[in-house]
Amino acid sequence: MKQSTERIVSFFYSMASRLIVEAPFEAENQLELSLRQAFESLQPNLRPPFSFSISIPNPDQYSQLNRAILHGILTEPHFAKTHIKHLHGIITDGYAMFINLLIKVVHQLYPKLLGSVKSQLLWVAEEMIYVLGIGIDVLLVSLLRQINGGDFSDGNLWLCLKMATLFLNKWQCLLEEEPNVLSCALYVFLRVLADHCRTNRPSDQNFETLRRLEVYLCVKIVREEFHLCLRIGRDFIRLLQDLIHVLEFRDIWKDLMLCPSKFNTSRFVNVSQLYRTRTCSKYVLLRINPEMETRLRFLMTYVKLGHQKRHQIWFFQKFLHEPDRETIIVDIVRFICCAHHPPNEIIQSDIVPRWAVIGWLLKSCRSSYVEKSVKFALFYDWLFFDESVDSVMNIEPAILLMVHSIQKYIDITHNLLEFLLYLVDNYDVRVENKVLIAKGVSSALQLLAKKGVIQSYDVLTYCPALSPTLKEGLGRLISGVKS
């Protein structure tokens, strides 16, 4: 009877100390297991009085202590302050090991974490900002990547609220010590707001509070620290355009176009300066969660063309099935163009090419708005292309998609070319910027031919299925002749 009772107690203790929810028959996660085993082996030493002042732990002991304390913080909220004091007492590496463990938990486990563990994770992240632990910038970026676009679940909206609140609460500290994290936060919340301000979901007070908080955070960064927007580059403009229907951002847009001096940044002269600044791939990665990134890279690194259908079906069911989630396609296309640049051996092999994945995603769009946004994301770097700062890999997928679609999907070729010509004529009609855009697209087309991405544009300019107007417009851009 006693043994049975002990087994029951042990079982419930084990359940209470778990970090994640595992599916039936799922293999035990090794990271979660290592943290739990460290906690169980050192649990008697995790209560006062602590012995760290008497002896300094060796490297193995130090590692185990970090793991045990982290597990204790995440699973014992009532002892969290005790555990954090213990952590402060043993630290010899500026919290580098502890924060690295936190990053692994976020990267590998976050979607499966119990709700109470997620709350503790955000609490300890804020504690690490307070002590300026080594790697805190990476931890915050990892948390930002767990905010999913088009996801209106309670858990995702909770994370949005907690992260926006964290950035506002720790504003001065982050501005002084890790300002780049604020530019990352701006990128994420501008993108999230595009979904939150367009949704048709029934409004409630909590959602309105969140939306106002997100607007406040973004406006604060733009108005008070505009130099952080300059770090983002041209994608800052792309994201801002999706929010022009929101009063606060409409006012920002007007000032960008008409009164750039209002931003009190001597380095900012006019919007063409942002057009010319290529957005670093680290920002694009912010809108792709780690699991999605892993699946996409696997598809474009190991799966042979013609065998991708089951992978695409799985991906769609996992990430795009819900109607609101299709806006993520825009982020995926930017990721493929700007952040996934396969080596030549992959490009020249029979592995699924980037253009084929984008073609599938384009045909997966259910709304005309999303389809238009996807095409815009595909061509965005074309508009301001400059060989000295931009990569040919960013523009390669669009031209290859047009060329390879001629035989079976001429409608894709037609629609993409028509959209590109429309952008050249209408994206920014001010004379100096219209010239900049025409030059950018012309430079992109010429470099694609120069690099051998496309052998000849004859396949497009002599295609009988394309209208003479489209072929004439393309010809002008190829030659660089003004219309």
Side-chain angles (χ1 to χ4, degrees), residues 118-137:
K118 289 180 179 178
S119 295
Q120 287 303 108
L121 182 62
L122 270 292
W123 177 82
V124 74
E126 196 159 351
E127 289 292 313
M128 291 301 99
I129 297 174
Y130 179 75
V131 297
L132 293 177
I134 295 171
I136 187 60
D137 56 330

Side-chain angles (χ1 to χ4, degrees), residues 99 103 133-144 174 177-178 180-181 184:
I99 290 180
I103 293 167
I134 295 171
I136 187 60
D137 56 330
V138 181
L139 174 60
L140 293 177
V141 166
S142 297
L143 285 166
L144 283 171
L174 292 172
E177 302 293 337
E178 299 289 353
N180 194 55
V181 172
C184 292

Side-chain angles (χ1 to χ4, degrees), residues 278-346:
R278 178 180 60 85
T279 296
C280 179
S281 61
K282 71 178 182 181
Y283 291 106
V284 176
L285 275 169
L286 286 167
R287 300 316 312 125
I288 303 292
N289 69 44
E291 185 181 6
M292 193 181 297
E293 179 189 359
T294 299
R295 297 292 180 174
L296 288 167
R297 291 197 192 277
F298 179 86
L299 176 63
M300 295 180 285
T301 305
Y302 299 106
V303 179
K304 292 184 178 181
L305 185 62
H307 295 80
Q308 71 269 31
K309 187 173 181 179
R310 67 184 181 90
H311 297 275
Q312 291 173 345
I313 291 173
W314 183 93
F315 189 91
F316 186 90
Q317 292 294 327
K318 174 73 174 179
F319 299 112
L320 304 173
H321 182 65
E322 297 295 328
D324 289 328
R325 298 298 300 275
E326 71 169 333
T327 58
I328 302 173
I329 296 175
V330 179
D331 303 314
I332 295 173
V333 168
R334 287 305 285 163
F335 161 74
I336 293 172
C337 290
C338 305
H340 182 76
H341 293 172
N344 285 333
E345 54 265 30
I346 296 292

Side-chain angles (χ1 to χ4, degrees), residues 333 355-356 358-363 371-380 382-383 395-406 409-424 441 445 460 466 470 474 477:
V333 168
W355 63 263
I358 292 175
W360 161 64
L361 291 168
L362 193 57
K363 292 184 78 69
E371 182 181 347
K372 179 181 176 182
S373 297
V374 168
K375 289 187 284 189
F376 186 49
L378 181 62
F379 282 120
Y380 194 55
W382 286 58
L383 304 184
I395 59 174
E396 178 211 62
I399 192 66
L400 291 181
L401 178 57
M402 284 192 280
V403 169
H404 286 284
S405 297
I406 288 176
Y409 306 103
I410 189 63
D411 58 314
I412 291 181
T413 306
H414 180 278
N415 291 338
L416 288 176
L417 184 53
E418 183 179 54
F419 189 80
L420 176 60
L421 295 174
Y422 175 83
L423 287 176
V424 172
V441 175
L445 288 164
L460 291 169
L466 293 176
L470 292 182
L474 177 61
L477 289 172

Side-chain angles (χ1 to χ4, degrees), residues 140-170:
L140 293 177
V141 166
S142 297
L143 285 166
L144 283 171
R145 290 191 68 188
Q146 296 297 336
I147 295 176
N148 296 314
D151 183 351
F152 293 91
S153 66
D154 290 343
N156 196 60
L157 296 180
W158 172 85
L159 183 58
C160 290
L161 179 64
K162 296 296 287 187
M163 291 302 291
T165 303
L166 182 151
F167 285 116
L168 288 168
N169 287 345
K170 298 297 183 180

Side-chain angles (χ1 to χ4, degrees), residues 446-461:
Q446 291 171 10
L447 185 66
L448 287 165
K450 177 182 173 183
K451 293 288 188 179
V453 175
I454 182 170
Q455 297 303 313
S456 170
Y457 286 105
D458 289 352
V459 66
L460 291 169
T461 56

Side-chain angles (χ1 to χ4, degrees), residues 66-94:
N66 272 269
R67 292 173 184 275
I69 291 173
L70 173 56
H71 193 279
I73 289 172
L74 295 180
T75 59
E76 297 186 324
H78 49 296
F79 286 127
K81 291 184 178 179
T82 299
H83 289 313
I84 205 76
K85 287 179 181 178
H86 191 179
L87 179 69
H88 295 330
I90 68 162
I91 285 300
T92 60
D93 64 348

